[in-house]
Each structure stands twice: as C-alpha cells, then as structure tokens.
Amino acid sequence: MKKSDSVVNFGRKSAGRLLPAVSTRDNKARRGRSLLLAGSHNYPGAGVLAARAALRMGSGYVILAQPNIAVSSLENPDFLLCDLNDKRWEELKFDAILVGPGFGVNEFTASVIRRLKELQFEKVILDADALTVCAQENLFPLPRTWIVTPHTGELARCLKVTSEDIDQDREHFVKLAQEKFQCVVLLKGHGTLIRRSARTYKILSGNSALAKAGTGDVLAGMITALRAQGLRPARAALLGAYLHGACADLWVAKGRDSLSLMASDVIEILPEVIHRVRKG
C-alpha cells in the first residue's frame, strides 16, 4: 500500500496478503456459512448472482433465503434455498449475512436490520434495498463491524445530497458517510473508495466494464463469503473490491470489449483472478 494525500492505495500485493489460507484440514464448515437475504419474485437474479459469487469466493455453505422463494434448486444445485414463509431466518445457522440485493424496500427488510442490531450480530453486509430502507427508516448509525456497499445514488439518498455532489468530491462524502453510519463504507464507482474509522482506501483495480446491472450483487456476495471465512470487516471489503475490479481488468486484458462484460462473467473469471493474485 502507498499513501497519497491521506488516501491509501490498495493494490495486488496487498490483496495477496489478505487471501484466506487454504489447508488440507479445511471442510465446508470451516470455510464459513453465508446467509443471503437477497432476491425476490420481481428480482430473482440478484439473489442468484450473490449466491454464486459467495460460493466462488470460498464460502463452504451458502443459503439463499426469500419469502416465496423465486428460484429453483434444480437450476441452482450449488447453494441451499430457504422460503422465509416456512422458516424464520433467525433459525438458520450462519456466520455472515447479506441483506438487500433485490430483496425489496419494505417493512420486512427493515425488521431484519433492526433485529440484527438488537442481536448485536457482527458480520453483516447491507447493500441495495437495505440501504434505501436504512435511509427511509432512520436506522443509522450501524454497528462498527458492519459493511455497507452503496453506489453513488444510494449514498446520495442516505446523506440527503445529490449524486452530482458526491461525484464532485467522493473522498469527502465517503468520510461523511462513515461518520454518520459508523461502520465500514464501500463507495462503488470509478476508483472504489473504502472508509473505516480514520482512513480511506482507494482500490487500484476495476474499469468501466463493471457498469452493468448485477455486478454490485456479485461484489456483495463475495464480501459476505470473506466475512464468513473470518476476515475482519475492512479487510473483507478491501479484498472483495480489489478482486471484483481485477476481474474486469482481466476481462479487458484478454481482448474482450468492456461493453460486453456481464455480472455472471465476473463470477466465471473470479477463480483465475484469485489464482493469479495468490501466486503473486
């Protein structure tokens, strides 16, 4: 990492040092259990993308949970499904939980966030609809160990400013957000920024190929898997964001046009990126 104007650059060498170790003693339980409250009847793909990304990022178990589950286990045999009309999410066994992608802006989403705060559960990632709910229901601040992953528009709603304001000074607004939210803040976009307490990091990977629906769901699933495997909040956010961006960089490096990248392509290319980063 190199320091520049109070912002610490986070690149490939730093990412390599944070990758979870692989051991012959590993089993699916040791690799962590990820619970994803993501997707819905209207947006089933958001949950599927997050779940597949969590698996690719190493989580030993992945459970995708929704009311009126909208996807099929026959088409998605790699992760578990739970209909929240039949079973309460609190009854499930998990190490880390993601709430928000395609899950809906409603009272149920708000109740989940309130309950997680009451339980003082540490490994929580909030994305997409969960952030909108936090803004509408005044659920900030959040526990320090939580991670939020807004894009510019979502952060603007949370801070009650415009997207244009944030684009003019991203470093200022990610700092302001961390002071208000109290947790780790990952501001997506060109030059992803991550803020924890008194330090801001800039991710040295990624390009315009990631400007595609669903790529944020993939990132959220990756970070959830890293938290489930025991990485500390800021480290999980940093590593997840770097690998996510590196997937887009490798896509372009292989001679593919940046317009053509899909969210599912990020998941497919992730194993090669992890291998390259691990080998240094």
Side-chain angles (χ1 to χ4, degrees), residues 60-274:
Y61 287 92
V62 174
I63 305 171
L64 178 61
Q66 307 162 358
N68 302 310
I69 194 75
V71 297
S72 166
S73 59
L74 294 177
E75 296 173 352
N76 300 281
D78 296 303
F79 53 86
L80 303 172
L81 299 175
C82 176
D83 191 326
L84 295 178
N85 288 331
D86 299 330
K87 193 168 188 176
R88 298 169 64 242
W89 63 268
E90 298 100 315
E91 299 172 6
L92 301 171
K93 188 174 182 179
F94 58 94
D95 299 302
I97 181 170
L98 166 65
V99 185
F103 200 58
V105 178
N106 51 50
E107 177 53 35
F108 182 66
T109 302
S111 71
V112 171
I113 298 169
R114 291 191 190 100
R115 182 61 177 154
L116 286 166
K117 290 180 71 174
E118 290 172 6
L119 294 172
Q120 298 183 333
F121 192 79
E122 293 187 356
K123 299 179 181 180
V124 178
I125 296 85
L126 300 184
D127 182 49
D129 290 342
L131 298 174
T132 300
V133 167
C134 284
Q136 291 182 353
E137 301 295 324
N138 296 315
L139 298 181
F140 300 118
L142 302 170
R144 291 184 177 275
T145 61
W146 290 22
I147 303 169
V148 296
T149 58
H151 57 54
T152 302
E154 289 161 346
L155 189 64
R157 286 194 290 273
C158 291
L159 296 179
K160 296 180 172 53
V161 297
T162 67
S163 296
E164 290 74 20
D165 291 333
I166 292 176
D167 285 336
Q168 288 175 7
D169 195 345
R170 286 166 55 84
E171 292 175 18
H172 167 71
F173 283 104
V174 77
K175 178 181 178 182
L176 192 65
Q178 200 282 325
E179 291 171 352
K180 177 177 181 178
F181 305 163
Q182 292 296 301
C183 61
V184 175
V185 179
L186 187 159
L187 176 57
K188 294 180 286 196
H190 179 65
T192 293
L193 297 176
I194 295 172
R195 179 80 180 181
R196 64 158 191 184
S197 57
R199 178 165 288 181
T200 300
Y201 296 85
K202 183 176 182 179
I203 301 300
L204 299 181
S205 67
N207 58 62
S208 60
L210 290 170
K212 194 72 67 76
T215 57
D217 305 327
V218 171
L219 175 60
M222 291 169 60
I223 294 173
T224 305
L226 291 170
R227 284 295 277 142
Q229 291 172 79
L231 267 72
R232 294 199 291 259
R235 292 187 173 195
L238 288 164
L239 179 57
Y242 178 82
L243 294 175
H244 187 254
C247 288
D249 292 341
L250 183 57
W251 179 267
V252 173
K254 285 177 173 287
R256 296 158 177 165
D257 193 89
S258 60
L259 291 177
S260 65
L261 181 73
M262 300 187 300
S264 56
D265 295 323
V266 177
I267 299 169
E268 293 306 313
I269 207 169
L270 180 59
E272 184 176 354
V273 168
I274 295 172

